[in-house]
C-alpha cells in the first residue's frame, strides 16, 4: 500500500500547496469587481442605462457564471456583450466588457488570448475623459494577467497606475485593493519585507474603519505575507483576526482557514493544521480551496506515515478534480 500511495502522490510529497494572493478585482473576487466597475448603477453612463439593458444583463449573467467557475461560458457571454456595445458605438462599455473577457480567459489558461483582449480593452479606454474608474478596473485585470505570465514587474506597474486613478477619484476601496495587489507582486518578485511593510501600512489605515470585506482581504493578505517571511506567530494572530471578522460578516472563510492550516503546519502544530484543513475541505462553497485543503491533508498524512488515512483521501480528491471545468488552476 505504501508504495502505491508514494507513486501516486510523489510530486505532492515534497511541496505543499501554499496560500497565494489572488488579485483583488481579479479572479477570486468578482464581487469586488462589481464594486469597482460601472456595474455600479451610479457609475453606468446614462446612454448605457437607457438603451443597452440587454448587454448589461449579459454582464451580470457572466458574473454569475464566473462565480460558478464556468469560465468558458462567462467569456462567451461577456464577449457577446462587448460585441453589442461595439455595434452601438459605446467604446467605454465595450472596453469594460472586454476586461471581463480577459479575466475569464485567464482562468481558462488562455493567457495569450487574454493578453490580446486586455490590450484591446485598454486601447478603447485610454484617453476617455469620463469613467476613468473603468480604466482602473482594466488595469487591475492586466495586473492579474501579468502575474500569471510571470511578469511581476509589469503587474506591479499596472496596479500602481490603477492606484493613481483611484487616488484621483478619492476611491478609498479601489486604492487599497490596488495596494494589496502591489503587495502580491512584490512577494512574487521576492521583496517580502517591502510587501509586509506595505500591507502593515494598509492594515494600520483600516484599524479604525468598520469591518468590511476589504478589511478581511487585507488582513488575510498580511497574514500570508507574514507566513512567507517566517513571522509565524504574528501570521497566526493576523489570520485569526481576519477569520473573526469574516465570520462576523458571514463571508466565505475557506481561504483563511486554508492559510491558517499552512501557518499551523509551519509551526509544527500538525493536529491544528489538520483541523483547519478539515474545516476548509468541509465547505463546498469554494471547491478549488476544498480540494487544495485535501491535498495538503494528504501530504501531511504521508509525512506522518499514516498510509490508511492517505489512501482514504485519494478517491475524494480524484473524483473532485474530474468535476472541475478546464481552467489554469
Amino acid at each position: 500500500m505504501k508504495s502505491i500511495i508514494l507513486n501516486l502522490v510523489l510530486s505532492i510529497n515534497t511541496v505543499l500547496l501554499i496560500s497565494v494572493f489572488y488579485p483583488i478585482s481579479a479572479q477570486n473576487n468578482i464581487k469586488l469587481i462589481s464594486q469597482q466597475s460601472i456595474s455600479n448603477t451610479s457609475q453606468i453612463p446614462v446612454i448605457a442605462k437607457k438603451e443597452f439593458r440587454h448587454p448589461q444583463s449579459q454582464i451580470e449573467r457572466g458574473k454569475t457564471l464566473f462565480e460558478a467557475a464556468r469560465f468558458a461560458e462567462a467569456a462567451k457571454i461577456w464577449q457577446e456583450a462587448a460585441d453589442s456595445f461595439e455595434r452601438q458605438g459605446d467604446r467605454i462599455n465595450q472596453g469594460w466588457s472586454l476586461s471581463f473577457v480577459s479575466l475569464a480567459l485567464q482562468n481558462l489558461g488562455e493567457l495569450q488570448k487574454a493578453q490580446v483582449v486586455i490590450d484591446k480593452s485598454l486601447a478603447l479606454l485610454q484617453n476617455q475623459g469620463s469613467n476613468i474608474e473603468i480604466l482602473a478596473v482594466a488595469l487591475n485585470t492586466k495586473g492579474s494577467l501579468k502575474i500569471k505570465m510571470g511578469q511581476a514587474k509589469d503587474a506591479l506597474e499596472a496596479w500602481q497606475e490603477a492606484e493613481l486613478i483611484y487616488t484621483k477619484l478619492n476611491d478609498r476601496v479601489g486604492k487599497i485593493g490596488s495596494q494589496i495587489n502591489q503587495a502580491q507582486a512584490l512577494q512574487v518578485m521576492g521583496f517580502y519585507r517591502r510587501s509586509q511593510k506595505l500591507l502593515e501600512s494598509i492594515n494600520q489605515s483600516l484599524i479604525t474603519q468598520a469591518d468590511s470585506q476589504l478589511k478581511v482581504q487585507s488582513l488575510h493578505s498580511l497574514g500570508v505575507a507574514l507566513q512567507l517571511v517566517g513571522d509565524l506567530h504574528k501570521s497566526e494572530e493576523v489570520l485569526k483576526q481576519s477569520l473573526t471578522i469574516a465570520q462576523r460578516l458571514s463571508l466565505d472563510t475557506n481561504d483563511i482557514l486554508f492559510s491558517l492550516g499552512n501557518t499551523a503546519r509551519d509551526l509544527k502544530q500538525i493536529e491544528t493544521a489538520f483541523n483547519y484543513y478539515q474545516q476548509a475541505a468541509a465547505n463546498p462553497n469554494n471547491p478549488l480551496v476544498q480540494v487544495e485543503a485535501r491535498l495538503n491533508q494528504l501530504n501531511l498524512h504521508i509525512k506522518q506515515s499514516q498510509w490508511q488515512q492517505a489512501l482514504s483521501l485519494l478517491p475524494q480528491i480524484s473524483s473532485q478534480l474530474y468535476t472541475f471545468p478546464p481552467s489554469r488552476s
Side-chain angles (χ1 to χ4, degrees):
M1 181 185 297
K2 183 187 299 186
S3 62
I4 292 173
I5 297 175
L6 286 174
N7 286 334
L8 285 171
V9 294
L10 182 61
S11 63
I12 303 173
N13 197 30
T14 55
V15 180
L16 279 78
L17 296 166
I18 64 169
S19 303
V20 295
F21 290 158
Y22 288 111
I24 290 182
S25 298
Q27 71 182 46
N28 88 323
N29 208 332
I30 198 75
K31 292 183 177 66
L32 278 182
I33 295 178
S34 301
Q35 296 172 8
Q36 297 180 13
S37 71
I38 60 170
S39 61
N40 181 328
T41 55
S42 67
Q43 297 175 340
I44 299 174
V46 173
I47 186 170
K49 286 194 287 188
K50 288 184 176 179
E51 299 182 25
F52 303 137
R53 292 176 182 174
H54 177 59
Q56 180 67 28
S57 67
Q58 287 177 304
I59 294 294
E60 298 306 319
R61 173 60 179 158
K63 290 176 184 176
T64 300
L65 291 167
F66 188 96
E67 289 173 355
R70 294 163 62 178
F71 303 122
E73 295 171 77
K76 182 176 183 294
I77 199 166
W78 280 332
Q79 183 62 59
E80 290 172 357
D83 293 342
S84 296
F85 286 127
E86 182 178 18
R87 285 192 294 271
Q88 300 294 338
D90 186 345
R91 292 169 59 89
I92 293 175
N93 276 332
Q94 181 191 357
W96 172 59
S97 303
L98 288 174
S99 71
F100 286 134
V101 175
S102 176
L103 193 60
L105 290 172
Q106 291 176 39
N107 280 270
L108 290 167
E110 299 181 15
L111 302 187
Q112 295 304 320
K113 289 183 180 179
Q115 177 73 70
V116 171
V117 174
I118 196 60
D119 285 347
K120 183 175 181 179
S121 171
L122 289 167
L124 288 165
L125 296 173
Q126 294 285 357
N127 302 318
Q128 295 287 345
S130 59
N131 296 290
I132 59 171
E133 68 276 6
I134 308 167
L135 175 59
V137 172
L139 286 166
N140 277 331
T141 301
K142 177 183 177 180
S144 72
L145 173 62
K146 292 300 183 180
I147 280 287
K148 293 181 180 73
M149 298 177 79
Q151 301 170 12
K153 184 174 182 295
D154 290 340
L156 179 64
E157 291 173 355
W159 286 325
Q160 287 172 335
E161 286 186 61
E163 181 190 355
L164 289 174
I165 293 174
Y166 287 127
T167 300
K168 181 178 180 180
L169 294 170
N170 199 28
D171 183 338
R172 187 170 172 275
V173 171
K175 178 180 178 179
I176 292 176
S178 296
Q179 289 177 332
I180 294 173
N181 288 344
Q182 290 171 49
Q184 176 200 8
L186 289 169
Q187 283 197 26
V188 173
M189 295 166 72
F191 300 133
Y192 298 115
R193 294 295 179 186
R194 283 178 60 189
S195 173
Q196 179 183 348
K197 184 176 179 180
L198 176 57
L199 287 165
E200 287 176 342
S201 173
I202 295 167
N203 279 286
Q204 192 65 33
S205 70
L206 289 172
I207 287 176
T208 59
Q209 301 299 315
D211 292 345
S212 65
Q213 185 173 358
L214 187 68
K215 190 171 184 177
V216 169
Q217 174 73 45
S218 180
L219 287 167
H220 182 201
S221 297
L222 176 58
V224 173
L226 290 166
Q227 179 206 356
L228 291 173
V229 299
D231 195 344
L232 299 178
H233 291 289
K234 184 64 175 178
S235 170
E236 182 181 41
E237 177 187 336
V238 171
L239 288 171
K240 284 182 176 179
Q241 292 175 20
S242 177
L243 179 64
T244 298
I245 298 172
Q247 290 171 333
R248 189 180 300 139
L249 297 177
S250 299
L251 300 175
D252 186 359
T253 59
N254 276 29
D255 286 327
I256 305 170
L257 290 167
F258 181 73
S259 299
L260 277 165
N262 290 340
T263 294
R265 175 204 68 213
D266 290 350
L267 285 166
K268 310 302 181 186
Q269 300 170 355
I270 303 304
E271 289 304 315
T272 301
F274 269 122
N275 181 52
Y276 282 128
Y277 290 142
Q278 184 61 42
Q279 290 181 66
N283 189 336
N285 292 334
N286 192 328
L288 182 58
V289 174
Q290 187 180 53
V291 77
E292 287 174 340
R294 285 175 175 159
L295 284 166
N296 279 9
Q297 284 181 287
L298 177 64
N299 183 292
L300 290 181
H301 281 313
I302 293 171
K303 290 183 180 296
Q304 299 294 311
S305 299
Q306 297 171 340
W307 308 113
Q308 189 59 49
Q309 294 94 322
L311 185 63
S312 67
L313 278 173
L314 291 177
Q316 299 176 57
I317 294 170
S318 179
S319 62
Q320 190 170 19
L321 284 173
Y322 281 114
T323 67
F324 289 145
S327 71
R328 183 174 181 271
S329 298

